[in-house]
Amino acid sequence: MSDASVVVVDAVDSGVVLGVLEQAKAGDFSARMPLHWTGVAGKVADGLNEVIIANQALAAELMRVSQVVGREGRLSQRMTLAGGGRAWSASVESVNDLIEDLVRPTSEMQRVVGAVADGDLSKKVTVDVRGEMLELKNTINGMVAQLNAFAGEVTRVAREVGTEGKLGQAAAVTIEVGGVWKDLTDNVNLMASNLTGQVRNIAEVTTAVANGDLSKKISIDVQGEFLELKNTVNAMVDQLNAFASEVTRVAREVGVEGKLGGQAQSTEIGGVWKDLTDNVNQLAANLTNQVRAIADVATAVTEGDLTQQVTVDAEGEVAVLKEKLNEMIRNLRETTRDNVEQLWLRTNRESFTRMLQGQRDVAAVSSMILSELAPLVSAQHGVFYLMTTPADGSEPVLRLQAGYGYQERKHLSTSFRIGEGLVGQCAREGRRILLTDVPNDYVRISSGLGDSPPLSIIVLPVLFEGTVRAVVELASFSAFSPIHQALLDQLPESIGLALNTIATNTLTEDLLGQSQSLAEELRAQQEELRESNEDLARQARLVAEQNVEADKASREVEQSKRTAGELAVSSKYKSDFIANMSHELRTPLNCLLILAEQLEDNPDHNLTDTQVEYASIIRSSGHDLLNLLNDILDLAKIESGTVSTEPAELSIVDLRATLFRDFESIAQRKGVAYSVDLVAGCPESILSDAQRLRQILNNLLGNAFKFTTSGEVRVTISSPDRGWSPSTMSLAEAPSVVAFSVTDTGIGIETEQQERIFEAYAQANSGTARSYGGTGLGLSISRELVGLLGGELTVESTPGEGSTFTAFLPSGRPASSERATVPPRDAVPEPSGSSGNADGLMPRRKGQQPKHQDLTPLDAKILVVDDDFRNIFALTALLERAHAVVVTAESGTEALAILQRESDIDLVLMDIMMPTMDGYAAIRAIRALGALSRLPIIAVTGKVTPGERQRCLDAGANAYLPKPVDTTELITSIEQLLETGPKAA
């Protein structure tokens, strides 16, 4: 390029400069000064361009920092300007200081707010700020302080009210909070106040209950679970109040007012309160039974009946009172018997004395003495020998003067010298001679029907002033009782006196010269008789005084009765009465029924028909008692819900025949017409529990016969389509229904009593109970059993015309045919059979005979183990009758010793309820002996609770029989076990 072509600009073009400056002023930093200027102009252009570029870089950096710090929140970013001068660096530093001054308080506030969000109210904003930042700092710090104070107050109230139990506390209302924080504080205070009022009200009521005040209730308004708690506590107070009122009433009536038989009737209680109610009722019942038993005996004693004894079960001081009262009665009876015997002796002695007074003929007197004396002392044979002196003055001789049932025999003499025979020996010794177990060929007492030897002979000397005047000999089929012997010891004196009087009178007639002296002697003797009469009068007065003493003793008995009532209030008996009653009654019943059956069978034919009838009545009475026990156990099972049924097809025709056969004899005895009718359309069979159905019908028929004295009793079996309650779904849904109606023409039932008779132990009225007796269990059991079979029991009755009881049963499977599950605790004992009667009226079949006259011989040696000697005696009698060899033991330990000592035992009858080692342990111990592991063992026990059979079998028994033992079942079980036992193999 030539120099001519280069344009050199040395001057500054102000227009260009102004244009660039205006662009830069408008914010257009893309404007540039020309780059081709040189010289001073070029320097100006370059300097201006550098300023524009620096401003452009500063603006870009400011924009970037504003974006990342202000909008993106990246507070760590700062401005940087490369190559800037000092002025530009100072601006950058100022901007960075501004950012730092804004970021530092913001971060501090963020730290404090974050701590508050995390629940840490201990942090505060501590950075130094000014202006609005200072106001924001103070606002945040004030907020944290208020929140800290609020949280502290709420925490304090929650701790004191909820944890420490300091009721009545509230959060401080002076805390400077507002809005939602104030509302929250008020709500916390309201919660604490409500909780305080509720808890204090509950505490007040529970404290009153604890102090025995049952009149208070929770009255505060509550909701939710506190309302449920309020209702529960108030209901508890009501129940306790009712319970306390009932117990107080029973205690007052029984213990204070003497109204026996009272029972607490609190039904809406359970648990320990029900147990306590039951215990109070049992205490009242026991007290009633004991006091009434004592009162009955005391009344009998007051009325002169000294044969009664207090037999009610008692323990403790009541048992001591019972024994003392019985001992007092025994003493009174013995004293009275002694007095009666003494009176009898005096009366008969005086009677003989009066009878002999004025008699003059010795022969008549002798016959009179024997005629009166022999029946008086139960003698059937007698002779009277009079001491006579022969005319030649030889030794006196006893000559036969009179006889009673006497027959002369050739080989017997009618006279005896002193010392000859027992008659002469009695005269020699001057004292009576008593012979017992007289030989059969000694003498015989005869009558028009036959003759037999006597059992006892007594020879009496008749003395007067030590001289034998006569000898009397008496013979009897029975032994002379002590009272008869006492009379025979006292009468000879009177007889001697009479004989002497007769002799004196005779001598008076022969010796008239001595008549005056003999008359004087007779008057003296009469004076003695008068004195004797006066003695008798004094003794009669003594008897009257003793009667006064007896009355006084009766009053003491009455006082003792009241004392017994006060003492018995503190008695407490066990709640398992039913199980214990079953065991304690079955044990003596077992002995009674076995022995009565043996007597009724009369295997040795040594009992009269009357004695066999007595045994039959005893056995029947024992079965009645067993039936009553079974009724009580049935009712207890029904109430506990453990009754089970066993449905099976039952023929209606067979049932009709059974009902007619069982009750026909009863109808004949009572003179009542009896019929069992089948209505047309009745099904041939019914699916039901045969045992339970017969029990129901037997109860209904038993009641019908009991309350019907004339007219008829009729059973009607039909298939109706109505008559039961629509609410009985099992009948409404059944394909068909069978109705068993029992109609009688008895006394009838009042309308208001027709529901009450189905209650346990209920009678229509007290007069019915006194007139007809019974326990009142039959109808209650019947209704429950009908319900168990899925049916309904109804009654229609008109007083004075009769009643109709109808049992409606479904002909198909009962709704409750499933077996009931027996609960593991509080189980009710299982009765050993259905009663089959109603309140003691047992049907007997015509021509019913004892079960077995001859037992199958048992060629075995049997060990009987029982701690009750009565059962040992009964079982031994039965087994020995079957020709078995019986070995007995009274404990399990003794049984083990016998089995180890005697290896020929074939079978063991083991009682379960024994002291020390019970039957379970004894059976296990026997099984533990290797040689006896297969020995047949039958468990025989009065413990008949559910599962007892399995417990005995689990212990090692081969069979289980409940008491009272059915003898046929026992003999059959023994035969089966002996046939399959180790020795049979």
Side-chain angles (χ1 to χ4, degrees), residues 723-759:
W724 57 86
S725 173
S727 60
T728 307
M729 299 305 299
S730 57
L731 295 176
E733 297 173 358
S736 62
V737 175
V738 178
F740 299 86
S741 300
V742 178
T743 303
D744 62 71
T745 57
I747 62 175
I749 306 168
E750 297 289 343
T751 303
E752 59 272 19
Q753 298 290 340
Q754 291 181 9
E755 277 300 319
R756 183 175 179 271
I757 60 174
F758 291 104
E759 299 175 3

Side-chain angles (χ1 to χ4, degrees), residues 428-656:
R428 171 174 287 179
E429 294 180 359
R431 59 184 180 181
R432 68 177 169 87
I433 298 175
L434 177 64
L435 301 180
T436 58
D437 297 328
V438 178
N440 292 338
D441 57 353
Y442 184 79
V443 66
R444 301 188 73 82
I445 302 174
S446 61
S447 68
L449 299 176
D451 60 358
S452 178
L455 180 65
S456 301
I457 293 177
I458 191 168
V459 185
L460 303 170
V462 177
L463 303 175
F464 179 76
E465 296 181 351
T467 302
V468 176
R469 295 300 180 95
V471 173
V472 179
E473 183 176 3
L474 299 171
S476 175
F477 287 131
S478 59
F480 291 101
S481 65
I483 186 64
H484 289 163
Q485 295 182 34
L487 178 63
L488 293 175
D489 287 339
Q490 297 177 13
L491 278 182
E493 181 179 354
S494 298
I495 297 174
L497 178 60
L499 294 177
N500 182 72
T501 301
I502 294 173
T504 301
N505 291 336
T506 303
L507 185 59
T508 300
E509 293 176 355
D510 295 339
L511 304 172
L512 296 176
Q514 301 178 5
S515 61
Q516 186 65 36
S517 62
L518 291 177
E520 188 66 24
E521 182 180 353
L522 181 59
R523 283 194 295 271
Q525 292 174 350
Q526 291 175 345
E527 182 64 24
E528 292 179 0
L529 290 177
R530 283 193 296 272
E531 293 177 356
S532 176
N533 291 334
E534 292 176 357
D535 291 339
L536 290 177
R538 286 194 295 271
Q539 292 174 354
R541 288 193 296 272
L542 179 59
V543 171
E545 293 174 356
Q546 291 176 343
N547 290 335
V548 172
E549 291 295 328
D551 292 338
K552 180 179 179 182
S554 298
R555 289 192 295 272
E556 291 177 353
V557 168
E558 184 67 23
Q559 180 63 32
S560 300
K561 178 186 70 174
R562 289 193 293 270
T563 304
E566 296 174 357
L567 294 175
V569 173
S570 61
S571 301
K572 187 177 183 298
Y573 296 93
K574 297 180 180 179
S575 61
D576 55 344
F577 169 73
I578 294 179
N580 288 339
M581 177 190 69
S582 174
H583 176 264
E584 295 300 327
L585 287 181
R586 289 175 185 273
T587 297
L589 270 178
N590 183 57
C591 171
L592 184 147
L593 291 177
I594 291 177
L595 293 180
E597 184 178 358
Q598 303 310 305
L599 293 175
E600 184 181 3
D601 287 349
N602 193 16
D604 298 329
H605 304 288
N606 58 352
L607 300 179
T608 65
D609 292 342
T610 301
Q611 291 171 330
V612 171
E613 182 65 16
Y614 290 167
S616 175
I617 293 173
I618 292 173
R619 180 166 170 260
S620 175
S621 300
H623 277 295
D624 289 344
L625 182 58
L626 177 62
N627 291 333
L628 175 60
L629 174 61
N630 288 338
D631 279 347
I632 295 173
L633 297 181
D634 265 340
L635 183 61
K637 283 191 65 186
I638 290 170
E639 291 176 348
S640 65
T642 59
V643 178
S644 62
T645 61
E646 296 179 359
E649 287 291 336
L650 177 62
S651 171
I652 297 295
V653 175
D654 293 343
L655 178 60
R656 174 185 179 275

